[in-house]
Amino acid sequence: MSNSEVPQPQQPQQPGAEQPGAQPPVTQPPAGNVPPAGYEPPPAYPQQGQAYPAPGQAYPQPGQPYNQPGQPGGFRFEMPTDGPRNFNDVMPKAGFSGMFSVTGLPTELKVSYWIWLIGGMLGVLGGLFGVLGSLALFVVAPGLAVVVLLLVLVALALAAAQIVLVLKMKEGKEWARLALTIVAGVSLVLAVLGGSVGGGGMGQGIGNNWLGFLISAAATVLMWLPNSQAWFNAAKGRA
């Protein structure tokens, strides 16, 4: 065999290199190839820091950003449409037996739920002690004792209502969430009145001091965060 017939070693082909005479890859569909009617391109994945839609909720349209008003997880205040129609709608469906179960709630709502529940229980306990203290105050200052007793009774009723409302909030009732937000506002009023009238020492529960108001305010904020809003939207769809 002559030297001219010795096979030459083949050079490894570089990735992406085109062979001579090879057809370039087709990057555009042939003319006349149009998507069928009703075809929609797949949605893009959320960017970092954006929330996924809640279960059962649709993705936004292509090009529309996530977490905008009207989208799952976005914030837009609307008056609740699931308000109670009778007394049975106010009471928890499962009674008070499932008070300590938070299965299915997002982390934000779990934290908010425990804050409201523990605060309501402490408020009831503190209200009972406040009633006893206000009765003892009648001996030295009857006029002041009447005012303090009224404030204690309001705080006691507020704490009891708070426990019922947080159980309804756990069921996905938006009217209960709004009512708890109002409770946080009332606790601010009681903090002011309790500090100016009773000196904040009569044990009026979660609404008798500024620390109680700040705790209830934090629980309120957690109920309105995007993940919590998405959960309420999904719960509304299941109702």
Side-chain angles (χ1 to χ4, degrees), residues 209-237:
N209 53 61
W210 290 104
L211 178 60
F213 165 69
L214 293 176
I215 293 175
S216 62
T220 302
V221 171
L222 289 172
M223 291 190 303
W224 294 94
L225 291 179
N227 282 345
S228 301
Q229 182 68 23
W231 183 86
F232 276 100
N233 291 339
K236 185 191 302 183

mmCIF file of all heavy atoms in Angstrom, residues 209-237:
data_model
loop_
_atom_site.group_PDB
_atom_site.id
_atom_site.type_symbol
_atom_site.label_atom_id
_atom_site.label_comp_id
_atom_site.label_asym_id
_atom_site.label_seq_id
_atom_site.Cartn_x
_atom_site.Cartn_y
_atom_site.Cartn_z
ATOM 1 N N ASN A 209 -53.388 46.914 76.534
ATOM 2 C CA ASN A 209 -52.047 47.494 76.554
ATOM 3 C C ASN A 209 -51.507 47.558 75.145
ATOM 4 O O ASN A 209 -52.039 46.935 74.226
ATOM 5 C CB ASN A 209 -51.112 46.685 77.468
ATOM 6 C CG ASN A 209 -51.116 45.219 77.109
ATOM 7 O OD1 ASN A 209 -50.760 44.845 75.998
ATOM 8 N ND2 ASN A 209 -51.531 44.370 78.045
ATOM 9 N N TRP A 210 -50.443 48.321 75.004
ATOM 10 C CA TRP A 210 -49.867 48.527 73.677
ATOM 11 C C TRP A 210 -49.210 47.271 73.136
ATOM 12 O O TRP A 210 -49.195 47.054 71.929
ATOM 13 C CB TRP A 210 -48.863 49.672 73.742
ATOM 14 C CG TRP A 210 -49.523 50.993 73.957
ATOM 15 C CD1 TRP A 210 -49.573 51.706 75.119
ATOM 16 C CD2 TRP A 210 -50.261 51.737 72.995
ATOM 17 N NE1 TRP A 210 -50.299 52.850 74.943
ATOM 18 C CE2 TRP A 210 -50.724 52.903 73.644
ATOM 19 C CE3 TRP A 210 -50.576 51.537 71.653
ATOM 20 C CZ2 TRP A 210 -51.489 53.857 72.990
ATOM 21 C CZ3 TRP A 210 -51.328 52.499 70.999
ATOM 22 C CH2 TRP A 210 -51.781 53.639 71.659
ATOM 23 N N LEU A 211 -48.664 46.452 74.030
ATOM 24 C CA LEU A 211 -48.071 45.202 73.563
ATOM 25 C C LEU A 211 -49.137 44.308 72.933
ATOM 26 O O LEU A 211 -48.915 43.704 71.878
ATOM 27 C CB LEU A 211 -47.390 44.472 74.723
ATOM 28 C CG LEU A 211 -46.754 43.118 74.377
ATOM 29 C CD1 LEU A 211 -45.669 43.303 73.318
ATOM 30 C CD2 LEU A 211 -46.190 42.463 75.638
ATOM 31 N N GLY A 212 -50.306 44.264 73.557
ATOM 32 C CA GLY A 212 -51.398 43.480 72.992
ATOM 33 C C GLY A 212 -51.833 44.004 71.640
ATOM 34 O O GLY A 212 -52.126 43.225 70.721
ATOM 35 N N PHE A 213 -51.848 45.328 71.497
ATOM 36 C CA PHE A 213 -52.223 45.897 70.204
ATOM 37 C C PHE A 213 -51.193 45.570 69.132
ATOM 38 O O PHE A 213 -51.556 45.222 68.001
ATOM 39 C CB PHE A 213 -52.378 47.410 70.322
ATOM 40 C CG PHE A 213 -52.410 48.104 68.986
ATOM 41 C CD1 PHE A 213 -53.492 47.949 68.133
ATOM 42 C CD2 PHE A 213 -51.337 48.886 68.566
ATOM 43 C CE1 PHE A 213 -53.514 48.562 66.889
ATOM 44 C CE2 PHE A 213 -51.360 49.500 67.329
ATOM 45 C CZ PHE A 213 -52.459 49.344 66.494
ATOM 46 N N LEU A 214 -49.899 45.675 69.467
ATOM 47 C CA LEU A 214 -48.866 45.376 68.479
ATOM 48 C C LEU A 214 -48.919 43.912 68.046
ATOM 49 O O LEU A 214 -48.715 43.589 66.871
ATOM 50 C CB LEU A 214 -47.489 45.719 69.052
ATOM 51 C CG LEU A 214 -47.220 47.203 69.303
ATOM 52 C CD1 LEU A 214 -45.851 47.399 69.964
ATOM 53 C CD2 LEU A 214 -47.304 47.991 68.008
ATOM 54 N N ILE A 215 -49.224 43.020 68.991
ATOM 55 C CA ILE A 215 -49.321 41.598 68.650
ATOM 56 C C ILE A 215 -50.506 41.355 67.724
ATOM 57 O O ILE A 215 -50.406 40.650 66.719
ATOM 58 C CB ILE A 215 -49.432 40.756 69.926
ATOM 59 C CG1 ILE A 215 -48.124 40.824 70.718
ATOM 60 C CG2 ILE A 215 -49.769 39.296 69.589
ATOM 61 C CD1 ILE A 215 -48.176 40.121 72.057
ATOM 62 N N SER A 216 -51.651 41.965 68.052
ATOM 63 C CA SER A 216 -52.826 41.789 67.194
ATOM 64 C C SER A 216 -52.611 42.449 65.834
ATOM 65 O O SER A 216 -53.101 41.947 64.813
ATOM 66 C CB SER A 216 -54.065 42.365 67.879
ATOM 67 O OG SER A 216 -53.920 43.762 68.103
ATOM 68 N N ALA A 217 -51.869 43.552 65.792
ATOM 69 C CA ALA A 217 -51.572 44.190 64.508
ATOM 70 C C ALA A 217 -50.697 43.289 63.639
ATOM 71 O O ALA A 217 -50.902 43.178 62.423
ATOM 72 C CB ALA A 217 -50.882 45.541 64.737
ATOM 73 N N ALA A 218 -49.715 42.615 64.262
ATOM 74 C CA ALA A 218 -48.873 41.686 63.504
ATOM 75 C C ALA A 218 -49.697 40.520 62.968
ATOM 76 O O ALA A 218 -49.528 40.094 61.817
ATOM 77 C CB ALA A 218 -47.748 41.167 64.398
ATOM 78 N N ALA A 219 -50.623 40.006 63.783
ATOM 79 C CA ALA A 219 -51.494 38.919 63.321
ATOM 80 C C ALA A 219 -52.379 39.372 62.174
ATOM 81 O O ALA A 219 -52.665 38.603 61.252
ATOM 82 C CB ALA A 219 -52.341 38.406 64.487
ATOM 83 N N THR A 220 -52.799 40.627 62.201
ATOM 84 C CA THR A 220 -53.637 41.163 61.129
ATOM 85 C C THR A 220 -52.856 41.250 59.822
ATOM 86 O O THR A 220 -53.360 40.879 58.753
ATOM 87 C CB THR A 220 -54.168 42.554 61.520
ATOM 88 O OG1 THR A 220 -54.908 42.444 62.736
ATOM 89 C CG2 THR A 220 -55.060 43.118 60.437
ATOM 90 N N VAL A 221 -51.631 41.743 59.891
ATOM 91 C CA VAL A 221 -50.805 41.857 58.683
ATOM 92 C C VAL A 221 -50.586 40.483 58.059
ATOM 93 O O VAL A 221 -50.651 40.315 56.833
ATOM 94 C CB VAL A 221 -49.468 42.536 59.015
ATOM 95 C CG1 VAL A 221 -48.520 42.466 57.824
ATOM 96 C CG2 VAL A 221 -49.692 43.991 59.420
ATOM 97 N N LEU A 222 -50.343 39.478 58.885
ATOM 98 C CA LEU A 222 -50.096 38.127 58.366
ATOM 99 C C LEU A 222 -51.318 37.587 57.617
ATOM 100 O O LEU A 222 -51.169 36.800 56.680
ATOM 101 C CB LEU A 222 -49.735 37.182 59.520
ATOM 102 C CG LEU A 222 -48.356 37.398 60.159
ATOM 103 C CD1 LEU A 222 -48.205 36.540 61.405
ATOM 104 C CD2 LEU A 222 -47.256 37.084 59.167
ATOM 105 N N MET A 223 -52.505 38.005 58.008
ATOM 106 C CA MET A 223 -53.715 37.514 57.328
ATOM 107 C C MET A 223 -53.872 38.088 55.931
ATOM 108 O O MET A 223 -54.605 37.530 55.113
ATOM 109 C CB MET A 223 -54.969 37.859 58.154
ATOM 110 C CG MET A 223 -55.098 37.116 59.450
ATOM 111 S SD MET A 223 -56.742 37.371 60.196
ATOM 112 C CE MET A 223 -56.801 39.161 60.324
ATOM 113 N N TRP A 224 -53.197 39.208 55.644
ATOM 114 C CA TRP A 224 -53.386 39.883 54.356
ATOM 115 C C TRP A 224 -52.166 39.755 53.450
ATOM 116 O O TRP A 224 -52.121 40.408 52.404
ATOM 117 C CB TRP A 224 -53.708 41.365 54.588
ATOM 118 C CG TRP A 224 -55.026 41.572 55.264
ATOM 119 C CD1 TRP A 224 -55.249 41.720 56.600
ATOM 120 C CD2 TRP A 224 -56.312 41.641 54.655
ATOM 121 N NE1 TRP A 224 -56.582 41.881 56.857
ATOM 122 C CE2 TRP A 224 -57.271 41.845 55.668
ATOM 123 C CE3 TRP A 224 -56.755 41.567 53.324
ATOM 124 C CZ2 TRP A 224 -58.622 41.962 55.413
ATOM 125 C CZ3 TRP A 224 -58.110 41.694 53.067
ATOM 126 C CH2 TRP A 224 -59.030 41.882 54.103
ATOM 127 N N LEU A 225 -51.184 38.956 53.819
ATOM 128 C CA LEU A 225 -50.019 38.753 52.957
ATOM 129 C C LEU A 225 -50.414 37.958 51.706
ATOM 130 O O LEU A 225 -51.457 37.297 51.685
ATOM 131 C CB LEU A 225 -48.917 38.031 53.726
ATOM 132 C CG LEU A 225 -48.241 38.844 54.845
ATOM 133 C CD1 LEU A 225 -47.184 38.012 55.549
ATOM 134 C CD2 LEU A 225 -47.646 40.134 54.312
ATOM 135 N N PRO A 226 -49.599 38.017 50.628
ATOM 136 C CA PRO A 226 -49.983 37.360 49.368
ATOM 137 C C PRO A 226 -50.305 35.877 49.496
ATOM 138 O O PRO A 226 -51.282 35.404 48.922
ATOM 139 C CB PRO A 226 -48.758 37.600 48.467
ATOM 140 C CG PRO A 226 -48.159 38.865 48.984
ATOM 141 C CD PRO A 226 -48.377 38.843 50.462
ATOM 142 N N ASN A 227 -49.496 35.116 50.243
ATOM 143 C CA ASN A 227 -49.785 33.694 50.389
ATOM 144 C C ASN A 227 -51.112 33.464 51.102
ATOM 145 O O ASN A 227 -51.862 32.539 50.760
ATOM 146 C CB ASN A 227 -48.655 33.001 51.147
ATOM 147 C CG ASN A 227 -47.450 32.742 50.272
ATOM 148 O OD1 ASN A 227 -47.529 32.813 49.051
ATOM 149 N ND2 ASN A 227 -46.318 32.461 50.889
ATOM 150 N N SER A 228 -51.396 34.285 52.104
ATOM 151 C CA SER A 228 -52.678 34.163 52.794
ATOM 152 C C SER A 228 -53.825 34.520 51.863
ATOM 153 O O SER A 228 -54.870 33.849 51.845
ATOM 154 C CB SER A 228 -52.693 35.077 54.029
ATOM 155 O OG SER A 228 -51.646 34.745 54.923
ATOM 156 N N GLN A 229 -53.634 35.566 51.060
ATOM 157 C CA GLN A 229 -54.672 35.971 50.113
ATOM 158 C C GLN A 229 -54.937 34.864 49.095
ATOM 159 O O GLN A 229 -56.091 34.590 48.745
ATOM 160 C CB GLN A 229 -54.243 37.261 49.404
ATOM 161 C CG GLN A 229 -55.256 37.813 48.419
ATOM 162 C CD GLN A 229 -56.501 38.336 49.110
ATOM 163 O OE1 GLN A 229 -56.467 38.686 50.284
ATOM 164 N NE2 GLN A 229 -57.615 38.373 48.393
ATOM 165 N N ALA A 230 -53.873 34.217 48.624
ATOM 166 C CA ALA A 230 -54.040 33.128 47.673
ATOM 167 C C ALA A 230 -54.805 31.974 48.295
ATOM 168 O O ALA A 230 -55.639 31.324 47.648
ATOM 169 C CB ALA A 230 -52.680 32.661 47.172
ATOM 170 N N TRP A 231 -54.557 31.695 49.564
ATOM 171 C CA TRP A 231 -55.275 30.608 50.247
ATOM 172 C C TRP A 231 -56.745 30.939 50.381
ATOM 173 O O TRP A 231 -57.607 30.063 50.184
ATOM 174 C CB TRP A 231 -54.645 30.349 51.613
ATOM 175 C CG TRP A 231 -55.287 29.202 52.347
ATOM 176 C CD1 TRP A 231 -54.973 27.882 52.226
ATOM 177 C CD2 TRP A 231 -56.353 29.286 53.305
ATOM 178 N NE1 TRP A 231 -55.785 27.136 53.050
ATOM 179 C CE2 TRP A 231 -56.639 27.969 53.728
ATOM 180 C CE3 TRP A 231 -57.081 30.342 53.844
ATOM 181 C CZ2 TRP A 231 -57.622 27.675 54.669
ATOM 182 C CZ3 TRP A 231 -58.070 30.049 54.768
ATOM 183 C CH2 TRP A 231 -58.337 28.745 55.177
ATOM 184 N N PHE A 232 -57.069 32.171 50.716
ATOM 185 C CA PHE A 232 -58.475 32.562 50.826
ATOM 186 C C PHE A 232 -59.169 32.487 49.463
ATOM 187 O O PHE A 232 -60.328 32.069 49.368
ATOM 188 C CB PHE A 232 -58.600 33.979 51.391
ATOM 189 C CG PHE A 232 -58.551 34.036 52.899
ATOM 190 C CD1 PHE A 232 -57.379 34.385 53.548
ATOM 191 C CD2 PHE A 232 -59.665 33.748 53.651
ATOM 192 C CE1 PHE A 232 -57.324 34.433 54.933
ATOM 193 C CE2 PHE A 232 -59.626 33.793 55.047
ATOM 194 C CZ PHE A 232 -58.444 34.136 55.685
ATOM 195 N N ASN A 233 -58.456 32.869 48.403
ATOM 196 C CA ASN A 233 -59.036 32.766 47.063
ATOM 197 C C ASN A 233 -59.318 31.312 46.697
ATOM 198 O O ASN A 233 -60.355 30.993 46.103
ATOM 199 C CB ASN A 233 -58.096 33.394 46.029
ATOM 200 C CG ASN A 233 -58.008 34.898 46.169
ATOM 201 O OD1 ASN A 233 -58.880 35.536 46.749
ATOM 202 N ND2 ASN A 233 -56.946 35.479 45.640
ATOM 203 N N ALA A 234 -58.370 30.440 47.049
ATOM 204 C CA ALA A 234 -58.587 29.018 46.762
ATOM 205 C C ALA A 234 -59.723 28.452 47.607
ATOM 206 O O ALA A 234 -60.512 27.639 47.125
ATOM 207 C CB ALA A 234 -57.295 28.240 47.025
ATOM 208 N N ALA A 235 -59.818 28.881 48.855
ATOM 209 C CA ALA A 235 -60.898 28.414 49.724
ATOM 210 C C ALA A 235 -62.250 28.890 49.203
ATOM 211 O O ALA A 235 -63.254 28.182 49.294
ATOM 212 C CB ALA A 235 -60.671 28.891 51.154
ATOM 213 N N LYS A 236 -62.269 30.083 48.633
ATOM 214 C CA LYS A 236 -63.520 30.588 48.057
ATOM 215 C C LYS A 236 -63.941 29.747 46.871
ATOM 216 O O LYS A 236 -65.126 29.497 46.644
ATOM 217 C CB LYS A 236 -63.333 32.051 47.636
ATOM 218 C CG LYS A 236 -64.626 32.703 47.127
ATOM 219 C CD LYS A 236 -64.313 34.048 46.484
ATOM 220 C CE LYS A 236 -63.619 34.986 47.432
ATOM 221 N NZ LYS A 236 -63.381 36.321 46.828
ATOM 222 N N GLY A 237 -62.962 29.285 46.088
ATOM 223 C CA GLY A 237 -63.288 28.440 44.939
ATOM 224 C C GLY A 237 -63.799 27.074 45.353
ATOM 225 O O GLY A 237 -64.573 26.447 44.616
#
